[in-house]
Amino acid sequence: MKINNRLLCAFVSMSAVFLTGCSEDGFEAVTDPTQINVTTNPGVISQKHFSVKASDLFPTVVDTSNNTYTETEVTITARIGDRNNLSITNPQTVQFRTEYGLINPGSCETDENGTCSVTWIADASPFDAGLGPGYLVTITAYAVGEEAFTDTNGNAVFDDGDAGFEDLEEPYIDANESDVFDAGDFIIDVASTNDPTGVNGAHDIGDGFFNGGGCTHSSLCGARASIAVWDDVTLKIDGPPTTP
Ligand SMILES: [Ca+2]
Ligand SMILES: [Ca+2]
Ligand SMILES: [Ca+2]
Ligand SMILES: [Ca+2]
């Protein structure tokens, strides 16, 4: 609840609307516009600003012209920001998983720029890894955050005046690159409404409610204010596409 009030007060301050009553959680009531202390970074990762990118989408791990394998490294970078479209500067832990290769280290702490990187290494020959056609490797990154919402009325909280939100399912490794969780994919168990302990060994879909701080919607506020935010990137590991 403390975070909720902070969010609301932060936005009130940003809007240059001066109200009393925001000092309860450490935000002093503002009476002088020159004294405005803009505090709009609650440090909670929004799904709308959680992204993962690769330094090379087409590493040549496999040369299919002669069936050779080369141990190859790709830098994987996560970037985080909050619901107010601001980068998050306090450290957050980002976890990584993949279907093939090695990720070193398996997690990273974001820096003052809201980014952190790990290295993906094709540490063994993929010929025996069962990757399937196309030599496609998916890497999934995830962290604790909140769902994204369309803040139609611009008050920085999810409420009845907003168009909607993105109801997140549990992260997973989309090993068959189908863009949905189905047979052949790998579960990543995290805590959620349908899996409170995060160890049920099943893929859990969204709960139908907004999971995030400060929610004042009349019917769509979830009991859990946090959820795993996530993104993935797919490498094609047989080198750059050939142009006709
Ligand atoms: Ca709103
Ligand atoms: Ca939800
Ligand atoms: Ca899939
Ligand atoms: Ca689960």
Side-chain angles (χ1 to χ4, degrees), residues 138-163:
T138 298
I139 298 162
T140 300
Y142 59 102
V144 175
E146 64 178 12
E147 290 175 342
F149 63 98
T150 304
D151 191 21
T152 309
N153 60 9
N155 63 356
V157 296
F158 182 60
D159 56 17
D160 289 4
D162 296 332

Side-chain angles (χ1 to χ4, degrees), residues 10 13 33 40 78-79 114 118 131 138 176 181 187 197 213 225 230 244:
S13 176
T40 54
R79 178 179 292 280
V118 297
L131 280 179
T138 298
N176 59 10
F181 181 83
I187 291 165
T197 57
W230 61 284

